[in-house]
Amino acid sequence: MEDERRRLLDRIREELGDLKVIQAMEHVDRADFVPPSSAHLAYEDIPLPIGEGQTISQPFIVALMIGALDLRASDRVLEVGTGSGYQAAVLARLAREVVTVERIPSLAESAENRLKALGIDNVRVHLAGDELGWPEDAPYDAVVVSAAAPTLPRKLIDQLVIGGRMVAPVGSMGSQELMRVVRTADGFSVRTMGYCRFVPLIGPDAWPEDTLVDDGDPL
Ligand code: SAH
């Protein structure tokens, strides 16, 4: 593995501990998921543009979110926000099946092609409509949301099994708290994991489209 890539993963390991997700990240090359013009930045711990105003998340945040899902090899996972497909590829190494949804057709298509070309066969990419998540394949053992939501997305909690975990950035468009939710028999419990900044979720469960302004670098 290249020195820069090794250093990136070692730094994340120092901060988060030796999580299984970091071992999984050793097998997924982020350079395969960033545009050629950003290839030299693939192992920097920063988000990078992937077109359509969207970004591939910061590797530290990917590790933090996936780590908090406490995945077992038999789990089925839903990812909201396929983007480049990078996080889906990492999830695919830790779970039995990954269902990932993306709102923007060109991103969904290129992520699907990329995952196929890499021989990753346990990820299903779906083009999302107005409905949040992918209820037809629910319930999931875990849900990870890669775009910011104004409120805790109850429609995604409903797509979890009892005991299922969800990680989602919730807050304002400029800053969110990463929330870890566990669905329980009579509702759900929530704990917060610190601040983050994601691109906003698109659709009726998020902010009105005309309020979506580009005011900086999201995660
Ligand atoms: N996980 C991605 C990064 C995602 S960026 C990666 O590893 O590269 C967030 C993505 O969420 C964007 O591609 C955006 O188009 C998508 N998105 C926004 N709203 C969505 C929605 N309601 N359903 C599905 N995807 C959505």
Side-chain angles (χ1 to χ4, degrees):
M1 208 187 295
E2 300 91 328
D3 287 352
E4 285 169 73
R5 197 170 157 207
R6 167 71 56 205
R7 274 198 297 275
L8 169 69
L9 295 176
D10 285 349
R11 271 200 310 272
I12 297 174
R13 193 179 278 110
E14 260 167 46
E15 281 195 63
L16 293 181
D18 193 15
L19 301 176
K20 268 191 309 185
V21 56
I22 299 166
Q23 290 164 32
M25 287 167 79
E26 288 174 356
H27 294 273
V28 182
D29 190 349
R30 193 166 181 250
D32 289 333
F33 295 84
V34 302
S37 56
S38 301
H40 61 295
L41 299 172
Y43 310 131
E44 298 291 322
D45 200 9
I46 52 172
L48 293 169
I50 54 170
E52 307 280 355
Q54 305 302 327
T55 55
I56 178 172
S57 306
Q58 179 189 344
F60 174 80
I61 294 287
V62 171
L64 180 68
M65 289 179 92
I66 298 182
L69 295 177
D70 293 324
L71 293 175
R72 284 170 295 243
S74 57
D75 281 351
R76 295 180 60 249
V77 185
L78 170 69
E79 177 191 37
V80 177
T82 314
S84 66
Y86 173 69
Q87 181 166 265
V90 178
L91 288 167
R93 295 199 63 93
L94 297 165
R96 175 161 61 94
E97 189 190 356
V98 181
V99 174
T100 180
V101 290
E102 172 56 54
R103 277 289 291 213
I104 300 179
S106 62
L107 292 177
E109 195 187 329
S110 49
E112 186 169 32
N113 291 338
R114 195 174 283 130
L115 292 163
K116 197 187 279 172
L118 291 169
I120 298 169
D121 60 6
N122 59 335
V123 178
R124 309 267 162 275
V125 182
H126 297 289
L127 186 61
D130 275 349
E131 193 165 36
L132 199 53
W134 198 253
E136 42 269 67
D137 288 340
Y140 306 96
D141 301 290
V143 174
V144 58
V145 187
S146 316
T151 55
L152 208 55
R154 297 293 299 265
K155 288 175 187 160
L156 293 176
I157 300 176
D158 293 344
Q159 293 173 46
L160 282 171
V161 299
I162 308 292
R165 293 80 57 199
M166 177 175 84
V167 176
V170 179
S172 69
M173 252 189 287
S175 165
Q176 307 94 37
E177 269 190 291
L178 214 45
M179 308 249 184
R180 182 184 190 273
V181 177
V182 179
R183 184 171 184 186
T184 58
D186 51 5
F188 59 89
S189 64
V190 186
R191 78 174 162 80
T192 58
M193 300 174 57
Y195 283 89
C196 56
R197 184 186 162 93
F198 279 79
V199 291
L201 205 59
I202 308 161
D205 295 289
W207 292 274
E209 303 263 341
D210 59 5
T211 62
L212 300 182
V213 287
D214 186 5
D215 60 351
D217 289 332
L219 295 171

mmCIF file of all heavy atoms in Angstrom, residues 10 34 38 59 100 102 120 141 164-165 168 190:
data_model
loop_
_atom_site.group_PDB
_atom_site.id
_atom_site.type_symbol
_atom_site.label_atom_id
_atom_site.label_comp_id
_atom_site.label_asym_id
_atom_site.label_seq_id
_atom_site.Cartn_x
_atom_site.Cartn_y
_atom_site.Cartn_z
ATOM 1 N N ASP A 10 -3.527 4.834 9.410
ATOM 2 C CA ASP A 10 -2.909 4.789 10.742
ATOM 3 C C ASP A 10 -3.407 5.931 11.618
ATOM 4 O O ASP A 10 -3.659 5.749 12.804
ATOM 5 C CB ASP A 10 -1.379 4.856 10.630
ATOM 6 C CG ASP A 10 -0.783 3.527 10.151
ATOM 7 O OD1 ASP A 10 -1.533 2.524 10.123
ATOM 8 O OD2 ASP A 10 0.417 3.506 9.809
ATOM 9 N N VAL A 34 -12.493 8.612 -6.733
ATOM 10 C CA VAL A 34 -12.424 10.064 -6.901
ATOM 11 C C VAL A 34 -12.147 10.378 -8.374
ATOM 12 O O VAL A 34 -11.565 9.556 -9.085
ATOM 13 C CB VAL A 34 -11.345 10.714 -5.981
ATOM 14 C CG1 VAL A 34 -11.619 10.400 -4.518
ATOM 15 C CG2 VAL A 34 -9.941 10.288 -6.368
ATOM 16 N N SER A 38 -8.629 14.663 -9.080
ATOM 17 C CA SER A 38 -8.373 14.712 -7.626
ATOM 18 C C SER A 38 -7.575 13.517 -7.139
ATOM 19 O O SER A 38 -7.416 13.330 -5.940
ATOM 20 C CB SER A 38 -9.688 14.725 -6.846
ATOM 21 O OG SER A 38 -10.473 15.818 -7.201
ATOM 22 N N PRO A 59 -12.557 10.481 4.849
ATOM 23 C CA PRO A 59 -12.350 9.105 5.317
ATOM 24 C C PRO A 59 -12.577 8.917 6.827
ATOM 25 O O PRO A 59 -13.149 7.909 7.242
ATOM 26 C CB PRO A 59 -10.890 8.824 4.943
ATOM 27 C CG PRO A 59 -10.643 9.694 3.751
ATOM 28 C CD PRO A 59 -11.458 10.939 3.977
ATOM 29 N N THR A 100 -28.069 0.608 -1.546
ATOM 30 C CA THR A 100 -27.703 2.020 -1.477
ATOM 31 C C THR A 100 -28.538 2.817 -2.462
ATOM 32 O O THR A 100 -28.796 2.350 -3.573
ATOM 33 C CB THR A 100 -26.174 2.209 -1.703
ATOM 34 O OG1 THR A 100 -25.863 3.613 -1.626
ATOM 35 C CG2 THR A 100 -25.684 1.675 -3.037
ATOM 36 N N GLU A 102 -29.466 6.623 -4.364
ATOM 37 C CA GLU A 102 -28.896 7.906 -4.802
ATOM 38 C C GLU A 102 -29.956 8.662 -5.598
ATOM 39 O O GLU A 102 -30.637 8.093 -6.436
ATOM 40 C CB GLU A 102 -27.639 7.631 -5.642
ATOM 41 C CG GLU A 102 -27.029 8.842 -6.342
ATOM 42 C CD GLU A 102 -26.682 9.984 -5.407
ATOM 43 O OE1 GLU A 102 -25.954 9.792 -4.425
ATOM 44 O OE2 GLU A 102 -27.171 11.097 -5.672
ATOM 45 N N ILE A 120 -17.443 -5.962 -6.988
ATOM 46 C CA ILE A 120 -18.195 -5.955 -5.723
ATOM 47 C C ILE A 120 -19.634 -6.351 -6.053
ATOM 48 O O ILE A 120 -20.337 -5.622 -6.751
ATOM 49 C CB ILE A 120 -18.097 -4.566 -5.064
ATOM 50 C CG1 ILE A 120 -16.629 -4.267 -4.740
ATOM 51 C CG2 ILE A 120 -18.976 -4.493 -3.806
ATOM 52 C CD1 ILE A 120 -16.342 -2.852 -4.337
ATOM 53 N N ASP A 141 -30.711 -4.114 9.078
ATOM 54 C CA ASP A 141 -30.060 -4.182 10.390
ATOM 55 C C ASP A 141 -29.385 -2.857 10.727
ATOM 56 O O ASP A 141 -29.173 -2.535 11.891
ATOM 57 C CB ASP A 141 -29.017 -5.305 10.394
ATOM 58 C CG ASP A 141 -29.654 -6.653 10.079
ATOM 59 O OD1 ASP A 141 -30.408 -7.150 10.931
ATOM 60 O OD2 ASP A 141 -29.435 -7.178 8.966
ATOM 61 N N GLY A 164 -32.028 -2.473 15.405
ATOM 62 C CA GLY A 164 -31.215 -1.962 14.301
ATOM 63 C C GLY A 164 -30.631 -0.591 14.631
ATOM 64 O O GLY A 164 -31.191 0.170 15.420
ATOM 65 N N ARG A 165 -29.496 -0.285 14.009
ATOM 66 C CA ARG A 165 -28.779 0.966 14.281
ATOM 67 C C ARG A 165 -28.821 1.883 13.065
ATOM 68 O O ARG A 165 -28.701 1.414 11.935
ATOM 69 C CB ARG A 165 -27.300 0.703 14.619
ATOM 70 C CG ARG A 165 -27.045 -0.037 15.909
ATOM 71 C CD ARG A 165 -27.227 -1.544 15.813
ATOM 72 N NE ARG A 165 -26.400 -2.185 14.800
ATOM 73 C CZ ARG A 165 -26.628 -3.380 14.281
ATOM 74 N NH1 ARG A 165 -27.679 -4.092 14.636
ATOM 75 N NH2 ARG A 165 -25.806 -3.886 13.373
ATOM 76 N N ALA A 168 -26.841 9.162 11.360
ATOM 77 C CA ALA A 168 -27.274 10.217 10.440
ATOM 78 C C ALA A 168 -26.838 11.583 10.960
ATOM 79 O O ALA A 168 -26.907 11.844 12.160
ATOM 80 C CB ALA A 168 -28.797 10.189 10.305
ATOM 81 N N VAL A 190 -31.437 7.591 21.188
ATOM 82 C CA VAL A 190 -30.508 8.408 20.393
ATOM 83 C C VAL A 190 -29.323 8.832 21.250
ATOM 84 O O VAL A 190 -29.501 9.185 22.413
ATOM 85 C CB VAL A 190 -31.186 9.725 19.918
ATOM 86 C CG1 VAL A 190 -30.260 10.498 18.970
ATOM 87 C CG2 VAL A 190 -32.501 9.464 19.233
#
